[in-house]
Amino acid sequence: MDLAAVFQGKQALLYMERYVDEGARTYSSLAGQTEAAPRYRPERDTPAFELVAVDAPRDRVSVFRADPSPGLLQHFVRPQGVLFAVHPETWANDAVEGLGDIRALPRTMPIRVAPTASTRTVLALEHPENVPGYFLKLHYPVRISRFNRELRLKNIHNSVAVSRDLANLQFEKFAYLPDTLGVAFRVNEKSWGFLVRETRARPFAAGRFLIPCFALYAGDLNHPDASPLLVQMIDRMAAEPVSFVVDRILAPVVECWARAARERGILLESHAQNTLLEIDRDCVPRRVVHRDFDVWVDPGARRRAGLGMPFLGRGMAADTDEAVRQHYSLVYDQFIGHHFFDYVAGVLKSHYGVDEEIVRARVREVFHHAFPDADRLFPVRTMFKFRTESPPNRNVLLEDMRQPPVWR
Ligand SMILES: Nc1ncnc2c1ncn2[C@@H]1O[C@H](COP(=O)(O)OP(=O)(O)OP(=O)(O)O)[C@@H](O)[C@H]1O
Ligand SMILES: [Mg+2]
């Protein structure tokens, strides 16, 4: 892909989501696996497909809100009922709880969508003029990479609650795509539904364009000879590669992450699919835009910051200091360090002959500056990762890697 194409807006973003991810899912043996039917996978050339939509009576659904745009709220929460969207593969799956009740509801206009890199989050391709652009994150109970992609009431509630909470995080390099609306069909504790994620980053800034972070370093499936977008950016700006990458991309990711963790106890899973680089018309990186807020929350950090726990479940699935340290390590060392920064450093090495250790040393410095009390919350001398045989739900089993931290 040519860097100039990034400025083409929605179509360009969709192209990167679907096709500029080549070679980026090698961080674990499960990362490239999917049980989604081939026609719903992002990298396939099916241009679009339709979500099934029904009108659900207001008293049969729970609706969660984080300051949705009024046009979007009116589009989904209507006088005749709530527009309830279902992935076609979920709709066809007789094993899905409560589906009989949902299938009995009146059908409404299907929604034309295209998948993003996560497969179960899709972009709406058409919407009325008064409705702002949106993604839908769907209940899709098949295994995609490590996890079964269910979207239960708890996930919906917490994603919206974290979106609401992040409105309080003020940092000039931080922005986010909020899950402003969530709808769950009442079945029982296994209720499921969908999230509506707005395409416009908050806080709003005009004249900005998004690049999913994996598309900075991944290959383009359709143009295998094209240079990675990151290399095109560095060359276009005639920038010094290490300073450009550390100061403009990696340091902002670390700083945003440390702020959310320390100030709000929210452990953003800032890997390369959950972050997008926002650039201006001159290609200058301005902010890191975050998405996907079904994340762990550290109750201890919330308490220290004087904040409540408006989340369902027990926050971080950890009640000992040891378990908390393991989760901090998993999210920072693995999701950010290993699944994201390692690839960026690899591009610097392959295209500019940079010694990756120089990049790591610079980032370690940034990390300790942004997170001065890290040694209290992280395992100082080692890292944790998912156990290879982890179950596909979130009852995660972690294992001690017995290796010193690389990016902190
Ligand atoms: N380069 C990448 N790095 C990480 N994950 C990737 C990458 N490319 C595609 N993915 C896919 O994105 C998903 C990442 O999982 P994660 O739990 O962050 O997202 P999600 O909750 O399914 O959706 P969303 O991010 O839209 O809220 C997986 O399905 C994974 O296969
Ligand atoms: Mg994600």
Side-chain angles (χ1 to χ4, degrees):
M1 177 166 168
D2 192 87
L3 183 59
V6 167
F7 302 103
Q8 284 163 7
K10 191 164 112 174
Q11 282 312 319
L13 179 63
L14 200 51
Y15 185 85
M16 291 185 273
E17 290 281 342
R18 300 189 61 172
Y19 305 115
V20 191
D21 197 15
E22 170 75 351
R25 271 176 285 168
T26 51
Y27 51 83
S28 91
S29 58
L30 298 174
Q33 296 184 13
T34 180
E35 289 173 354
R39 65 184 174 286
Y40 303 125
R41 296 180 193 168
E43 70 280 7
R44 291 302 167 113
D45 24 83
T46 328
F49 60 87
E50 288 184 342
L51 304 183
V52 181
V54 296
D55 269 326
R58 185 66 187 79
D59 60 358
R60 296 188 71 185
V61 294
S62 303
V63 177
F64 304 95
R65 299 170 195 195
D67 190 22
S69 296
L72 206 58
L73 181 62
Q74 285 157 20
H75 185 64
F76 282 92
V77 182
R78 306 158 162 190
Q80 72 271 30
V82 175
L83 196 170
F84 190 86
V86 184
H87 192 285
E89 200 175 354
T90 305
W91 181 266
N93 180 351
D94 292 335
V96 171
E97 306 89 1
L99 196 58
D101 291 348
I102 297 173
R103 284 175 178 160
L105 296 172
R107 297 276 278 264
T108 177
M109 277 269 285
I111 307 171
R112 255 175 84 74
V113 299
T116 67
S118 76
T119 308
R120 55 116 155 223
T121 298
V122 298
L123 177 67
L125 296 176
E126 294 146 13
H127 44 90
E129 215 178 303
N130 61 328
V131 178
Y134 64 91
F135 300 96
L136 290 170
K137 180 166 176 171
L138 301 158
H139 180 64
Y140 198 4
V142 301
R143 193 164 166 151
I144 303 171
S145 76
R146 179 171 298 273
F147 297 108
N148 187 314
R149 302 293 167 171
E150 299 178 334
L151 196 68
R152 302 281 175 193
L153 186 133
K154 170 175 171 282
N155 312 105
I156 296 168
H157 175 281
N158 288 351
S159 300
V160 174
V162 168
S163 296
R164 215 182 292 125
D165 201 85
L166 287 173
N168 300 297
L169 182 64
Q170 273 150 28
F171 178 44
E172 71 278 6
K173 297 176 194 171
F174 175 83
Y176 64 110
L177 299 180
D179 291 327
T180 58
L181 199 59
V183 182
F185 190 82
R186 294 217 199 96
V187 189
N188 46 36
E189 75 284 355
K190 302 204 108 191
S191 293
W192 55 269
F194 63 93
L195 286 161
V196 185
R197 176 176 300 163
E198 303 199 11
T199 55
R200 176 184 269 197
R202 294 188 186 182
F204 173 64
R208 305 286 173 85
F209 305 87
L210 296 177
I211 304 176
C213 283
F214 57 77
L216 290 168
Y217 55 78
D220 179 338
L221 260 177
N222 302 317
H223 304 95
D225 298 330
S227 298
L229 290 173
L230 180 61
V231 171
Q232 296 183 48
M233 278 172 97
I234 292 170
D235 294 352
R236 171 175 162 158
M237 303 184 83
E240 193 285 301
V242 175
S243 301
F244 178 83
V245 164
V246 173
D247 299 346
R248 300 285 195 171
I249 303 172
L250 306 186
V253 170
V254 172
E255 289 162 354
C256 288
W257 189 81
R259 291 234 175 189
R262 299 183 71 231
E263 294 176 15
R264 314 214 61 89
I266 294 172
L267 298 197
L268 293 173
E269 298 184 2
S270 306
H271 57 55
Q273 183 271 329
N274 285 342
T275 49
L276 303 95
L277 187 68
E278 185 191 63
I279 61 173
D280 64 20
R281 282 186 197 285
D282 298 321
C283 250
V284 177
R286 301 295 289 263
R287 303 189 294 186
V288 182
V289 178
H290 298 73
R291 63 177 160 193
D292 190 351
F293 303 127
D294 186 12
V295 295
W296 281 298
V297 176
D298 175 3
R302 299 280 299 177
R303 215 180 313 114
R304 288 192 293 279
L307 300 170
M309 281 291 285
F311 314 107
L312 297 179
R314 289 189 306 137
M316 197 180 267
D319 28 29
T320 63
D321 288 352
E322 188 48 31
V324 168
R325 279 194 280 273
Q326 295 178 5
H327 281 83
Y328 272 78
S329 171
L330 176 74
V331 176
Y332 182 79
D333 296 322
Q334 295 305 306
F335 296 173
I336 301 179
H338 179 258
H339 301 1
F340 178 1
F341 289 6
D342 276 2
Y343 288 91
V344 175
V347 165
L348 288 178
K349 182 177 180 182
S350 59
H351 285 75
Y352 303 100
V354 168
D355 175 359
E356 291 155 293
E357 184 49 24
I358 292 173
V359 184
R360 294 195 284 257
R362 294 267 293 265
V363 170
R364 286 198 286 268
E365 225 173 89
V366 171
F367 173 80
H368 287 286
H369 193 256
F371 216 131
D373 51 347
D375 289 354
R376 205 163 48 77
L377 288 160
F378 285 81
V380 178
R381 267 173 279 280
T382 189
M383 302 187 284
F384 284 80
K385 64 169 187 157
F386 286 127
R387 229 183 252 286
T388 322
E389 69 278 16
S390 262
N393 55 31
R394 278 261 175 152
N395 301 326
V396 208
L397 292 173
L398 303 184
E399 87 181 300
D400 188 342
M401 296 173 69
R402 300 180 193 284
Q403 281 171 36
V406 176
W407 291 98
R408 64 177 161 91

